[in-house]
Amino acid sequence: MAEKTEQAAGTDFSPLRSWIIRHPIATFLVLVYATTTALVFVPKGLTEPGLLPGGATPHGALENVFGSAVQAFIVTALIGGKAGVRDLARRSFRWRVPLRWYAISLLAPLLILLIAITILYGLAPLRALAQNWLLLFTAFLPALAIMIVLNNVAEEIGWTGFVFAQLQDRHGPLRAAVLTTLFFWLFHVPSTYVETRSWATTALVLGIFLLPHLGSRLITGWLYNSSGSSVLIAGLFHSMHNATVNPTGLVAVLALPQFEVLLIMAGIVVLAAAIIAVATRGRLGLRRPASDADLNRG
């Protein structure tokens, strides 16, 4: 991706497009933050649950689709042309990956959470799960479907498929995840304010979840690299996480306080991310390029 940008930079373009080619991430961030800030002023009805299944809001869908995915494709078109757009589209919807990555992204978070809450709360949540099993189909799965279709896959197109991938080419996977965390964290400022309508509460909530945000970027980066650059797999993990902590998702099925489930999932994400970072020695599943000696031996 960086190579295409460098090649394009050598072509005679207008000063503005030349600047965009030299600074693709800065361009993306300007477009994203401008869009999300503008969406703060949408009618209040679009920010409240009820219009979409699973507690999702039109504001959230607009933010992720137009504030993340669309901007990623716009900047990619400017710096890489049609070839760049095709590459991002292929990576965004790459579904032909080993089945284990679907299991890891969709089932692992759910199973680990069930184990954790059983340890913390005993069998009461599992009894609630047995009693409220119908909510799996009327609440949890609709929430998961909305997260996949309208929210988190689109979100990851911008933050994993574009920002993380670009930064990884330049700085390596671990530093790319840390840098992406900062920009991704700021991305949530307008939406958190829309939910709370309080800057103090927004600062508190985002402060509490800064470390889990880093954990999520490490995990999504690892899933993306390990699955062969599949943004879809990273997005499925993100969707499952959000459907799990959504008040009308798994929280409703288990009959547990949402904030407690949020904290438990945050701890799981941070712990899992630390294990992944250590186990991969900071490579997050990215294969090392073959050295000249390796090529000569081949």
Side-chain angles (χ1 to χ4, degrees):
M1 186 176 294
E3 182 178 346
K4 293 177 184 177
T5 302
E6 292 167 4
Q7 290 174 353
T11 308
D12 185 20
F13 289 124
S14 67
L16 176 59
R17 189 171 180 188
S18 296
W19 189 92
I20 291 172
I21 290 170
R22 292 194 304 272
H23 306 283
I25 293 177
T27 303
F28 173 79
L29 294 176
V30 169
L31 293 174
V32 166
Y33 295 150
T35 302
T36 55
T37 300
L39 286 173
V40 169
F41 302 101
V42 299
K44 187 177 179 181
L46 298 180
T47 68
E48 297 177 346
L51 293 178
L52 295 174
T57 67
H59 173 269
L62 289 170
E63 185 177 61
N64 290 312
V65 173
F66 291 98
S68 181
V70 169
Q71 309 305 338
F73 276 105
I74 289 174
V75 179
T76 298
L78 290 172
I79 67 175
K82 293 181 180 179
V85 171
R86 284 195 297 268
D87 173 67
L88 178 58
R90 280 195 297 267
R91 290 183 291 111
S92 297
F93 304 106
R94 180 165 291 153
W95 62 273
R96 290 186 177 180
V97 300
L99 288 177
R100 66 178 179 274
W101 295 112
Y102 286 98
I104 291 171
S105 62
L106 288 171
L107 298 181
L110 188 60
L111 293 176
I112 294 172
L113 176 66
L114 291 176
I115 293 171
I117 62 174
T118 301
I119 294 172
L120 294 171
Y121 296 95
L123 297 178
L126 297 184
R127 295 192 189 100
L129 176 61
Q131 294 172 355
N132 300 329
W133 64 269
L134 189 59
L135 289 176
L136 290 172
F137 301 96
T138 60
F140 173 63
L141 289 180
L144 178 60
I146 287 294
M147 297 300 171
I148 293 172
V149 174
L150 292 179
N151 283 356
N152 301 123
V153 173
E155 192 174 20
E156 292 302 338
I157 290 173
W159 296 104
T160 296
F162 185 80
V163 175
F164 175 78
Q166 287 266 347
L167 290 172
Q168 181 172 248
D169 287 344
R170 303 178 190 181
H171 304 293
L174 193 59
R175 188 177 298 179
V178 173
L179 291 172
T180 304
T181 298
L182 174 61
F183 302 136
F184 185 67
W185 184 74
L186 291 172
F187 170 72
H188 286 85
V189 171
S191 61
T192 305
Y193 174 75
V194 166
E195 291 177 9
T196 65
R197 295 298 174 180
S198 165
W199 286 115
T201 306
T202 296
L204 177 62
V205 170
L206 291 177
I208 291 172
F209 292 105
L210 176 57
L211 188 58
H213 270 305
L214 173 59
S216 74
R217 292 303 94 198
L218 291 168
I219 294 173
T220 52
W222 171 68
L223 288 169
Y224 170 79
N225 287 332
S226 300
S227 62
S229 302
S230 172
V231 175
L232 176 63
I233 292 298
L236 290 178
F237 164 77
H238 195 163
S239 300
M240 176 56 78
H241 172 278
N242 285 9
T244 298
V245 302
N246 190 292
T248 61
L250 194 65
V251 167
V253 182
L254 298 174
L256 290 173
Q258 183 195 17
F259 189 69
E260 292 181 18
V261 176
L262 271 168
L263 291 179
I264 293 168
M265 280 300 295
I268 291 171
V269 165
V270 170
L271 180 59
I275 292 171
I276 288 169
V278 172
T280 63
R281 298 182 179 180
R283 297 294 297 174
L284 304 184
L286 182 67
R287 294 182 180 180
R288 295 185 182 275
S291 65
D292 292 339
D294 293 334
L295 293 175
N296 290 335
R297 282 198 296 270

